[in-house]
Amino acid sequence: MDQNAQKPLSRLARQQAVREERKNKQAPWWAALLIAVMMALAVVPLITSQNSDYAVPQAKKEQAKPKSAAEKTSKAKPAPKVKTYVVKSGDSWAAIAQKYGISAEELAEQNGLDTSSTLAVGQKLKIKQVK
């Protein structure tokens, strides 16, 4: 008998061989998909780190020194003083603003109004001054 001659496969053996063949055909697709996903995940941090709007360099974070309380207060802007002014007869936006050294538009804006708004006697206006 010829040694190369094959014995007929049983039904179970044929089914198993077909399953193995299918697995072998699918393996490259899964491997390619896995490689593509891994490459995409590796590229995302590189893209975002090159865009300065999104990336925060770690070296600069570590080098930043905490400022002492004296340095913080010396550079901080003073809090604006808020005064209340009661409108009197004959007052106008410009006259009141001139007394406090600000523009009429700024005064109206501070109070959520417009300079075209009419002032009423007894109306209270808040005036913020930075000095």
Side-chain angles (χ1 to χ4, degrees), residues 50-107:
Q50 290 175 355
N51 190 346
S52 63
D53 292 341
Y54 298 106
V56 178
Q58 295 298 325
K60 287 186 181 178
K61 272 187 173 180
E62 293 168 3
Q63 290 176 357
K65 292 185 233 173
K67 294 183 180 180
S68 67
E71 289 176 2
K72 288 180 184 177
T73 56
S74 65
K75 292 183 181 179
K77 293 181 181 178
K81 294 179 182 177
V82 179
K83 293 185 177 184
T84 303
Y85 179 82
V86 180
V87 177
K88 299 172 191 158
S89 178
D91 280 341
S92 67
W93 287 107
I96 298 168
Q98 188 177 12
K99 287 181 188 177
Y100 293 96
I102 59 174
S103 69
E105 289 78 18
E106 189 177 353
L107 175 63

Side-chain angles (χ1 to χ4, degrees), residues 21-40:
E21 190 176 327
R22 284 184 187 155
K23 269 187 184 178
N24 291 338
K25 285 182 181 178
Q26 290 176 353
W29 288 99
W30 287 107
L33 179 64
L34 180 63
I35 290 170
V37 169
M38 290 175 63
M39 288 177 66

Side-chain angles (χ1 to χ4, degrees), residues 1-7:
M1 201 177 215
D2 189 15
Q3 289 180 343
N4 293 335
Q6 291 183 350
K7 219 170 153 182

Side-chain angles (χ1 to χ4, degrees), residues 111-126:
N111 289 280
L113 300 169
D114 190 75
T115 54
S116 62
S117 303
T118 306
L119 293 172
V121 175
Q123 181 178 357
K124 294 181 181 180
L125 297 177
K126 292 182 182 179

